Amino acid sequence: MRKQLLVVLAAATLTATAVPASAEPTVNWGKCPADITSPLLHCASIEVPLDYRNPDGKKISVEISRLSSGIPTKRRGVLLFNPGGPGGTGLTFPLEMFQLGLPASLLAEYDLIGFDPRGVDHSSPVNCDLKPEQLLTIVPKYAHNPAEVVAAAASAKQISQQCAASKSAPVLPYITTANTARDMDQIRAALGEPKISYFGLSYGTYLGGVYASLFPDRTDRVVLDSVLGPDGYDITAARRFGEGMQDRFPDFAKWAAVRDSSYRLGATPAEVTATFSKLADKLDRHPAWGFDGSLFRLATESLIYRDSEFPLVAQLWQTALEDQAPPPGSLPSIGGPIQSQVGTQLSVVCGDHAWPRSISTYQRNVAQDRVAYPLVGGSTANVGPCAYWPTKPIEQPVRFSDRGPSNLLLVQNLRDPATPLSGAQDTREAFGNRARMVTVDQGGHGAVLPYLNSCGFNAAVGYLVHGTRPETDKFCGAETNATRSLTPQQQQAADKIMDRLRQY
C-alpha cells in the first residue's frame, strides 16, 4: 500500500509540473520543414522540458503542424493526432487523414494538429548510431531452440551498448510515453486550449490513454483505433504480436486458396499455411538474396496489415519458392528518418517498463509461443535490446483507471495482427465506464480508415463531430470493400499511413 501511495504521489507531482490548464496562445505558425511541401499545413516549434522533474532545466524542441478548420466561427477546438510507433513521424498525419476522406463536418469542428514526438525527426531527434543491417534486427530472429535465444541475446546486447555509447545517450532515458503525453499538454497550453480532442492509432492508443490518465480533465473527445493493452509495449504486448498473426493469417490463407490457380500457394487454407512453414524453414536453412526465414516471417506479418497487400504477399512467397529476389516494396522499410525512429522506439519501449533480464525467461517464453503461436511466436517472444538497456525507467508506468470523465471511444478489429483483440479488451476493462468499445468484424491493422468498414468509421466520426457515443459497447458486422475504389490521392495517403505502421 505504501509503495502504491508513493507511485500515486509521484505521478501527481509530475502532472502538477505541467503548464496551467489554459493560457494565451504562444505558437508562431510559419512554414513547415523543407521536406513538407503542402501549402495546407503550417508548422511551429515549442520548447518543452527534457525532464519534467526539473522543468527549469534543459529544454528540447517539439515540432507541431496545423491544418486549420474550414469554418473558424464553428470551430470546437483542436484534434491532436498520433499515428503510432513509438517513433512514428506525425507532422503530415493530419494531411494524410484529410486526403483519405475525413468529412467536411469534422474539418469544420477542429483544427487538425500533428506533431513529431520527442526524439523523432524534427523534434530533437535521437540516434543510436546503428548500422543499416542492425535496423531490421530490432525485431528478434525466430528462435527454434534455446541456443538461438542465446545468439539473439548477443545481437540485442550489442544494440543496447551502441545506444549507451551514442551521443544521444544522455537524452534516451527521457524519451518515454509519459513525457510525450506531458509534451501533448504543453502543446495544448501553447495553443491556448482548455482541452484537446485526440485520435490515436496503434501505439498512439496507449499514448492517448496515458494522456487521459495524467490529464483527465483536459481531454475532450478521445478516439483510440487499434488498441494496445493498458501497459503499452511491454513483454506481454511483444508476445501478443504472435497472437495477432494467428488471428489474422487465416484471412490471407482463405484468400490465397481461392486464387490457387494464379499463385499456386495451396488449394486450401491448410495447404497455404503449410506453404508458409515450408518457405520459412527453407529460408532458415538456406538464406537467399539476404533474405532469411525470420525476415520472411516479418515481411509476411507486416504486409497482412491490410487486405489490399495480399497480392504482394503472394508475390513475395512466389519469389521465395523460385529462389528469386523479393519483389519491390515487400520487405520492411529502412528508409527515411529511420535512425531517429528506431532510437525513439527503443527508448520508449525500454524506458516505459523494466524488462526481464534473465535469458531463461525468454527461452521459456519462446518454447511456449512456438507452440501457441507457431507462425511467428519464436520471434515475438525472443529476447531484444530491452533486456540489456543501460538505464532503469525513470518512473513507474502510468496506470489506466476508471476514474475520470467518460469520454473515450475504442475502435478495434476482431483480427488485428499487431494489436490483437485481447489487448483492446484489457484496456476497455481498465478504463471501465470511462470508455465504450466498437468491435469491427474485419481483419487488419487500423479500423477507422474510411475505405474499410463504414460502421466503425461512422462511429468514430459521429463521436468526434456530434459527441454521440454508443451507450453500450457495439459490434459492427463484416462489410465488403470490393466495390469501394480510392482516388489516386486517397490511395497515396493510405499507403503513407500503412507504410508508417509497417515500420514497427
Side-chain angles (χ1 to χ4, degrees):
M1 176 64 73
R2 182 175 181 272
K3 183 177 180 181
Q4 292 176 335
L5 178 60
L6 290 174
V7 171
V8 171
L9 289 174
T13 300
L14 284 168
T15 302
T17 63
V19 293
S22 61
E24 290 298 318
T26 57
V27 174
N28 296 314
W29 296 107
K31 291 184 178 180
C32 290
D35 58 331
I36 300 173
T37 58
S38 173
L40 296 178
L41 285 179
H42 295 89
C43 294
S45 295
I46 66 169
E47 282 195 340
V48 300
L50 172 65
D51 182 358
Y52 279 87
R53 299 171 302 180
N54 181 20
D56 296 324
K58 179 179 174 61
K59 300 293 194 297
I60 59 174
S61 66
V62 171
E63 189 79 7
I64 63 176
S65 63
R66 180 183 68 179
L67 196 157
S68 296
S69 169
I71 309 176
T73 56
K74 185 183 177 183
R75 174 184 173 278
R76 176 181 180 85
V78 298
L79 176 59
L80 193 66
F81 287 88
N82 182 271
T89 58
L91 281 182
T92 61
F93 192 60
L95 177 64
E96 290 153 9
M97 291 296 289
F98 165 72
Q99 292 171 334
L100 200 52
L102 292 180
S105 57
L106 187 146
L107 299 173
E109 292 287 336
Y110 300 99
D111 287 343
L112 308 185
I113 305 296
F115 70 108
D116 278 355
R118 59 168 52 203
V120 177
D121 203 7
H122 301 291
S123 294
S124 304
V126 297
N127 188 332
C128 276
D129 297 327
L130 301 182
K131 299 175 182 178
E133 60 269 21
Q134 291 178 299
L135 295 173
L136 285 176
T137 64
I138 302 303
V139 178
K141 285 183 174 294
Y142 190 97
H144 301 80
N145 52 57
E148 291 183 354
V149 177
V150 174
S155 174
K157 187 174 184 179
Q158 177 62 35
I159 290 173
S160 180
Q161 289 174 340
Q162 285 179 233
C163 290
S166 69
K167 292 182 179 179
S168 297
V171 175
L172 298 182
Y174 307 100
I175 309 297
T176 65
T177 300
N179 278 339
T180 302
R182 296 178 183 112
D183 293 344
M184 288 168 52
D185 202 57
Q186 297 272 10
I187 294 171
R188 175 203 58 76
L191 295 173
E193 300 288 339
K195 296 183 178 182
I196 57 172
S197 291
Y198 178 82
F199 175 86
L201 177 62
S202 191
Y203 161 77
T205 63
Y206 178 60
L207 175 61
V210 169
Y211 184 85
S213 300
L214 290 177
F215 307 101
D217 295 330
R218 300 178 192 174
T219 56
D220 189 9
R221 297 169 180 171
V222 177
V223 174
L224 309 179
D225 176 6
S226 304
V227 186
L228 266 176
D231 295 315
Y233 274 125
D234 62 354
I235 190 170
T236 298
R239 297 176 69 183
R240 274 182 168 145
F241 275 97
E243 176 187 345
M245 180 66 159
Q246 295 295 142
D247 289 345
R248 171 61 165 160
F249 186 82
D251 290 341
F252 171 73
K254 293 175 185 177
W255 178 94
V258 170
R259 295 161 179 81
D260 184 53
S261 60
S262 299
Y263 296 107
R264 301 295 181 186
L265 301 178
T268 66
E271 290 179 2
V272 174
T273 305
T275 299
F276 174 86
S277 298
K278 172 186 173 182
L279 288 172
D281 291 343
K282 171 187 173 181
L283 289 167
D284 279 334
R285 295 191 305 269
H286 305 291
W289 305 91
F291 188 49
D292 63 10
S294 293
L295 188 55
F296 171 77
R297 293 180 178 92
L298 173 62
T300 297
E301 182 179 33
S302 66
L303 287 173
I304 62 173
Y305 275 21
R306 57 175 176 168
D307 290 3
S308 62
E309 300 279 20
F310 284 179
L312 186 56
V313 180
Q315 294 168 28
L316 171 68
W317 289 25
Q318 284 183 319
T319 61
L321 284 168
E322 298 167 2
D323 296 321
Q324 295 181 358
S330 63
L331 298 187
S333 171
I334 57 172
I338 190 68
Q339 284 283 0
S340 69
Q341 292 174 12
V342 169
T344 301
Q345 181 181 3
L346 288 172
S347 299
V348 170
V349 173
C350 302
D352 280 359
H353 299 277
W355 285 61
R357 293 184 175 262
S358 169
I359 293 299
S360 62
T361 298
Y362 298 97
Q363 291 173 323
R364 182 172 59 252
N365 291 348
V366 164
Q368 292 173 352
D369 287 8
R370 279 203 317 269
V371 176
Y373 313 123
L375 296 171
V376 296
S379 171
T380 54
N382 204 354
V383 61
C386 293
Y388 298 96
W389 202 242
T391 58
K392 296 180 180 180
I394 60 174
E395 61 180 301
Q396 293 291 323
V398 176
R399 299 299 181 191
F400 295 175
S401 79
D402 57 2
R403 295 183 179 181
S406 184
N407 62 353
L408 283 74
L409 179 66
L410 284 55
V411 189
Q412 175 69 31
N413 287 338
L414 279 180
R415 303 176 301 281
D416 189 316
T419 56
L421 180 64
S422 60
Q425 291 172 329
D426 287 349
T427 292
R428 170 68 181 88
E429 182 178 359
F431 277 124
N433 195 48
R434 294 187 66 187
R436 300 288 185 272
M437 188 160 83
V438 175
T439 305
V440 183
D441 185 2
Q442 70 181 9
H445 193 43
V448 173
L449 300 181
Y451 60 89
L452 295 176
N453 184 285
S454 61
C455 174
F457 176 74
N458 291 337
V461 171
Y463 178 49
L464 289 172
V465 174
H466 304 294
T468 55
R469 196 182 61 156
E471 293 184 4
T472 60
D473 291 350
K474 179 178 180 179
F475 181 79
C476 289
E479 296 177 6
T480 177
N481 61 5
T483 59
R484 298 176 194 166
S485 59
L486 302 183
T487 67
Q489 184 185 55
Q490 288 175 322
Q491 186 65 59
Q492 185 180 37
D495 289 344
K496 288 180 179 178
I497 292 170
M498 297 310 297
D499 285 347
R500 185 187 290 115
L501 288 174
R502 285 169 52 193
Q503 293 175 352
Y504 308 102

